[in-house]
């Protein structure tokens, strides 16, 4: 396949036929998971998509003038589109709310108020925020989970459906969008105010565990619930219920586990995985709770969780294992898919124990929101020496990757339920088979992080799947890849358009078939032979050494780009311009 085919959207199957291709401009605050998924879907449909970050009105106006798009879509905006644009040009706003819902914090309120059903609406930009004519909408059932998880799954799916419908309506040329009319019985949404910390505040003496859980979920991943710990203000994230532990008074920290803290409640206890300290200059960022509170927790007992225990009650766990017949399932649910040194080491220990057992197939399940996003940039940023911590973390990732790659006694499957990025994608390529949900997005590149070279044996793993040329295209272009495109490229072995639950069942079925295959021994032998052949051609140690030589320069060399990019990423510094690899309309210009 020619190197650029997947970039131009000419993938051979899974294409949604489009009436005719259009130039579409995304105006977006950032190229987040929703913008990436829409980018992939519209490109697959034959459209040409260019991206402009919402920096200021002048830049936005200039982007529209240069690109002359047929349509503007705003997947994730924090500011209104300038009037000079929406008066002249159709602009679709993707709003994470049901028809009639208006205002910021749409999803936050939906979680707080425990709505059973919510939705996404595509409306036309006009002078009033979220009050434009409606082009399409979709509903979904709510889950009791973090706002960010709802966003990454239900909202993204509903947004894709409704944007594609709205685009089809637009292309038909005769569709009349529905004006917002609150007298209609089917318009159930209402205007709401921005949610404030005082709406989110936890009253530890009154709120029960479920109420606290809901409040923290509604603010996760941003902005968190402001609370006081040891006399200082922190934003709380990453909550889960504890079924067994108890303590008094409510709010007291009664246990810690792998970086999370457990706090007593009036009717039980709740774990909090992540904290962000409130600072006057807003320079702090999320880190694991135990790391944030460090010396304060010396008296708090560490209550370990045995990843091999069969206890399945509600509690905090980030690595756990389940065996069903001849198949072992290894789960690693790390917050935001970020894997710090200790997490990599812990996961590797568990993996090696599983690899010493009699299971015939090991399935790497990853997490539900992310399979993995590589090294933990926040914990690296937080370290006394970020360069040293980067070095430790990448080596721990490499050790884990190597353990999977050199597994001799089992066949391995990476089951990608959620997105994967950077080193996380290459970690998955260490498995013998890679299966993904069709709706996930892969970002198999490091370059966006200040020209980071990357390791995780990617110089071996990527070309062996897609060839040298395509490996070069993928890593240099830095674009997101949808699972069907990844399949067409040979990056993964199959993808399935299934919900998470059905995907897990499908994986179980495939793993069982593999474990019982009459060819099982031959497959293991082939794998060992191939590994030996590859090793003779170039040892894994040599790939690692070559990659780490580059990484050493990234971490310790004169060029600080990686440290600067990481700082910007972790501190969420708004972009000052749109990178050229996204802003294709600026390719021939310097502006
Ligand atoms: N370390 C720490 N945090 C990470 C992370 C990492 N490697 N990757 C993602 N995150 C965090 C983000 O900061 C964000 O945090 P928030 O909860 O405070 O909002 C959250 O995960 C979700 O990330 P976001 O960028 O919003 O998700 P996305 O789906 O839109 O984009 C990626 C996914 C992978 C493209 C993007 O997160 C990314 O570039 N991550 C960095 C990957 C990387 O360079 N790793 C290091 C080299 S191995």
């Amino acid at each position: 396949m020619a190197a650029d085919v997947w970039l131009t959207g000419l993938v051979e199957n899974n294409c949604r036929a489009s009436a005719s291709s259009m130039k579409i401009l995304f105006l977006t605050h950032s190229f987040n998971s929703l913008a990436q998924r829409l980018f992939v879907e519209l490109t697959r449909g034959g459209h040409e998509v260019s991206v402009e970050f919402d920096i200021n009105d002048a830049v936005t106006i200039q982007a529209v003038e240069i690109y002359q798009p047929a349509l503007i879509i705003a997947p994730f905006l924090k500011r209104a589109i300038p009037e000079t644009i929406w008066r002249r040009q159709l602009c679709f706003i993707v709003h994470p709310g049901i028809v009639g819902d208006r205002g910021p914090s749409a999803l936050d309120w939906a979680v707080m108020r425990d709505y059973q059903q919510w939705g996404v609406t595509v409306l036309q930009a006009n002078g009033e925020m979220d009050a434009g004519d409606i082009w399409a909408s979709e509903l979904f059932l709510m889950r009791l989970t973090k706002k960010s998880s709802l966003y990454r799954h239900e909202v993204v799916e509903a947004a894709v459906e409704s944007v594609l419908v709205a685009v089809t309506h637009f292309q038909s040329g005769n569709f009349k969008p529905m004006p917002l009319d609150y007298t209609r019985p089917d318009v159930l949404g209402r205007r709401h105010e921005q949610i404030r910390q005082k709406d989110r505040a936890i009253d530890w003496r009154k709120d029960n565990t479920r109420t606290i859980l809901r409040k923290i979920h509604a603010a996760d991943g941003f902005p968190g619930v402001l609370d006081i710990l040891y006399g200082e203000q922190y934003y709380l994230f990453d909550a889960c219920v504890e079924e067994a532990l108890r303590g008094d008074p409510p709010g007291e920290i009664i246990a810690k586990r792998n970086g999370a803290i457990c706090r007593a409640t009036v009717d039980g206890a709740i774990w909090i995985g992540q904290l962000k300290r409130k600072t006057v200059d807003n320079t702090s960022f999320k880190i694991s709770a135990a790391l944030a509170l460090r010396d304060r927790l010396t008296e708090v007992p560490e209550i370990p969780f045995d990843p091999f225990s069969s206890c399945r009650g509600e509690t905090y766990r980030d690595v756990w294992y389940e065996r069903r017949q001849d198949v072992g399932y290894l789960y690693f649910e790390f917050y935001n898919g970020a894997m710090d040194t200790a997490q990599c080491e812990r996961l590797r220990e568990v993996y090696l124990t599983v690899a010493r057992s009699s299971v015939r197939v090991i399935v790497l399940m990853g997490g539900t929101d992310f399979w993995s996003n590589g090294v933990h940039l926040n914990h690296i940023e937080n370290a006394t020496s970020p360069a040293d911590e980067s070095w430790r973390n990448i080596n721990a990732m490499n050790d884990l990757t190597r353990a999977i790659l050199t597994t001799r006694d089992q066949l391995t499957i990476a089951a990608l339920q959620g997105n994967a990025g950077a080193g996380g994608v290459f970690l998955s390529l260490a498995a013998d088979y890679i299966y993904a949900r069709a709706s996930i997005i892969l970002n198999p590149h490091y370059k966006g992080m200040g020209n980071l070279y990357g390791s995780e044996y990617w110089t071996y793993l990527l070309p062996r799947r897609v060839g040298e040329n395509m490996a070069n295209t993928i890593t240099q272009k830095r674009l997101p890849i949808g699972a069907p495109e990844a399949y067409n490229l040979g990056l993964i072995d199959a993808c399935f358009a299934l919900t998470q639950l059905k995907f897990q069942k499908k994986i179980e079925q495939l793993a069982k078939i593999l474990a019982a295959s009459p060819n099982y021994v031959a497959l293991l032998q082939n794998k060992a032979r191939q590994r030996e052949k590859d090793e003779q051609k170039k040892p894994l140690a040599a790939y690692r050494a070559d990659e780490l030589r580059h990484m050493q320069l990234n971490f310790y060399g004169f060029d600080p780009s990686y440290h600067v990019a990481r700082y910007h990423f972790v501190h969420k510094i708004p972009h000052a311009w749109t990178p050229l690899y996204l802003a294709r309309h600026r390719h021939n210009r310097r502006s």
Side-chain angles (χ1 to χ4, degrees):
M1 188 186 290
D4 257 13
V5 165
W6 63 274
L7 297 170
T8 53
L10 299 175
V11 286
E12 287 139 54
N13 60 14
N14 297 299
C15 269
R16 287 177 201 244
S18 76
S20 61
S21 80
M22 293 187 294
K23 287 206 299 188
I24 299 176
L25 180 68
F26 279 9
L27 285 182
T28 187
H29 177 72
S30 72
F31 198 42
N32 71 348
S33 49
L34 172 56
Q36 292 187 19
R37 176 76 187 284
L38 288 173
F39 178 91
V40 163
E41 294 281 343
L42 290 164
T43 306
R44 188 182 299 155
H47 302 294
E48 181 190 290
V49 183
S50 191
V51 180
E52 183 72 34
F53 289 154
D54 173 36
I55 290 157
N56 61 43
D57 284 2
V59 172
T60 305
I61 290 164
Q62 185 193 46
V64 176
E65 270 167 14
I66 300 169
Y67 195 44
Q68 302 283 319
L71 178 66
I72 294 173
I73 300 179
F76 169 43
L77 262 196
K78 292 199 174 176
R79 284 173 351 106
I81 294 177
E83 184 171 349
T84 49
I85 294 181
W86 61 255
R87 280 217 182 270
R88 267 187 280 150
Q89 177 107 37
L90 181 62
C91 307
F92 285 159
I93 309 277
V94 182
H95 177 69
I98 54 173
V99 172
D101 180 82
R102 293 181 59 195
S105 330
L107 206 46
D108 307 52
W109 281 122
V111 178
M112 283 288 266
R113 292 173 177 159
D114 201 10
Y115 293 150
Q116 298 306 298
Q117 192 172 254
W118 198 239
V120 169
T121 307
V122 174
L123 31 87
Q124 187 170 337
N126 67 8
E128 264 191 286
M129 196 74 149
D130 303 330
D133 292 355
I134 292 145
W135 283 75
S137 64
E138 279 288 324
L139 294 173
F140 56 82
L141 290 177
M142 294 281 278
R143 277 180 298 142
L144 176 61
T145 187
K146 298 179 181 101
K147 174 182 67 168
S148 53
S149 186
L150 282 170
Y151 187 84
R152 283 174 196 133
H153 296 286
E154 284 82 350
V155 170
V156 167
E157 291 306 322
V160 167
E161 284 310 312
S162 37
V163 165
L164 294 179
V165 168
V167 166
T168 309
H169 286 332
F170 170 65
Q171 291 198 297
S172 76
N174 54 17
F175 179 77
K176 294 232 169 341
M178 184 183 97
L180 178 57
D181 174 3
Y182 283 110
T183 63
R184 286 177 59 128
D186 54 341
V187 176
L188 298 175
R190 291 292 174 262
R191 189 196 174 97
H192 55 251
E193 294 304 313
Q194 172 139 28
I195 196 165
R196 295 150 305 170
Q197 279 299 336
K198 105 172 188 271
D199 303 310
R200 304 185 192 269
I202 297 169
D203 183 344
W204 290 92
R205 287 157 313 164
K206 284 203 195 120
D207 289 345
N208 65 19
T209 311
R210 294 283 156 188
T211 306
I212 298 170
L213 183 72
R214 188 171 297 289
K215 285 181 174 178
I216 301 177
H217 276 349
D220 208 331
F222 180 82
V225 174
L226 193 58
D227 197 29
I228 301 205
L229 282 159
Y230 301 107
E232 293 196 47
Q233 288 188 300
Y234 289 91
Y235 296 95
L236 317 182
F237 304 88
D238 190 22
C240 84
V241 170
E242 166 58 41
E243 221 171 65
L245 299 172
R246 293 291 177 266
D248 203 43
E252 180 86 355
I253 300 178
I254 54 172
K256 58 183 191 229
R257 173 182 298 158
N258 294 328
I261 52 170
C262 183
R263 300 179 71 180
T265 62
V266 282
D267 60 344
I270 193 159
W271 288 95
I272 288 151
Q274 304 281 314
L275 293 179
K276 178 180 161 188
R277 200 154 78 86
K278 185 176 180 191
T279 53
V280 211
D281 51 0
N282 202 17
T283 50
S284 70
F285 47 89
K286 271 181 228 173
I287 52 176
S288 78
L291 194 59
L293 298 173
R294 242 178 260 133
D295 323 333
R296 308 281 204 163
L297 301 179
T298 42
E299 302 296 310
V300 176
E302 172 89 22
I303 309 278
F305 174 81
D306 176 4
F308 295 97
S309 91
S310 55
C311 144
R312 290 289 164 259
E314 287 185 288
T315 191
Y316 175 82
R317 55 184 185 168
D318 56 4
V319 176
W320 71 99
Y321 175 72
E322 287 167 11
R323 179 173 179 163
R324 287 189 281 285
Q325 290 145 355
D326 285 331
V327 183
Y329 300 85
L330 185 51
Y331 298 81
F332 37 105
E333 188 82 61
F334 299 125
Y335 189 75
N336 282 340
M339 298 167 65
D340 73 13
T341 308
Q343 287 166 328
C344 293
E345 288 170 353
R346 216 155 25 87
L347 181 55
R348 179 170 165 273
E349 281 306 310
V350 176
Y351 180 84
L352 290 174
T353 308
V354 175
R356 284 192 295 269
S357 76
S358 60
V359 286
R360 288 160 72 90
V361 173
I362 302 176
V363 186
L364 300 156
M365 297 296 291
T368 41
D369 280 4
F370 293 105
W371 196 83
S372 168
N373 276 332
V375 296
H376 201 311
L377 296 167
N378 290 33
H379 284 181
I380 289 172
E381 187 64 30
N382 185 59
T384 319
S385 164
D388 289 352
E389 189 48 40
S390 301
W391 183 255
R392 273 194 291 271
N393 203 163
I394 197 66
N395 274 288
M397 278 294 284
N398 283 352
D399 292 342
L400 173 63
T401 313
R402 191 174 191 286
I404 298 166
L405 194 47
T406 55
T407 305
R408 293 184 67 97
D409 298 335
Q410 285 90 11
L411 295 172
T412 54
I413 295 174
L416 278 65
Q417 312 176 63
N419 296 351
V425 181
F426 301 112
L427 179 69
S428 76
L429 299 190
D432 302 322
Y433 304 92
I434 304 141
Y435 301 133
R437 290 200 310 120
S439 51
I440 70 148
I441 297 288
L442 301 172
N443 277 286
H445 43 82
Y446 305 86
K447 201 173 174 194
M449 196 53 65
N451 269 324
L452 192 66
Y453 186 78
S455 194
E456 288 106 354
Y457 302 92
W458 76 266
T459 51
Y460 167 61
L461 294 168
L462 187 58
R464 87 169 175 168
R465 285 221 152 236
V466 301
E468 289 289 348
N469 282 347
M470 184 54 80
N472 193 44
T473 306
I474 288 173
T475 49
Q476 296 306 311
K477 296 264 179 185
R478 296 177 260 175
L479 290 174
I481 305 179
E485 287 77 12
Y487 168 69
N488 286 335
L489 292 172
L491 190 66
I492 64 172
D493 297 295
C495 66
F496 308 102
L498 296 173
T499 61
Q500 288 212 313
L501 215 61
K502 288 190 176 147
F503 176 72
Q504 287 165 9
K505 290 223 164 79
K506 178 80 186 172
I507 290 294
E508 195 162 340
Q509 202 183 17
L510 290 170
K512 264 195 216 157
I513 292 172
L514 194 58
S517 164
N519 296 330
Y520 178 81
V521 175
L523 288 169
L524 267 188
Q525 284 167 345
N526 284 348
K527 153 165 137 160
R529 254 196 308 273
Q530 188 60 50
R531 181 78 283 287
E532 234 159 77
K533 232 165 95 186
D534 290 353
E535 187 69 16
Q536 279 181 358
K537 219 164 132 200
K538 179 170 175 179
L540 280 182
Y543 283 103
R544 179 169 175 155
D546 288 347
E547 290 168 5
L548 287 179
R549 252 192 299 281
H550 289 275
M551 290 294 255
Q552 205 162 19
L553 283 178
N554 288 139
F555 301 158
Y556 297 103
F558 291 117
D559 178 358
S561 301
Y562 156 69
H563 296 292
V564 172
R566 189 195 60 243
Y567 180 90
H568 281 234
F569 179 82
V570 167
H571 289 89
K572 307 201 183 301
I573 312 255
H575 296 273
W577 65 86
T578 312
L580 281 181
Y581 67 90
L582 296 177
R584 56 194 304 162
H585 52 285
R586 295 189 187 277
H587 278 186
N588 298 322
R589 302 173 62 108
R590 311 214 75 207
S591 46

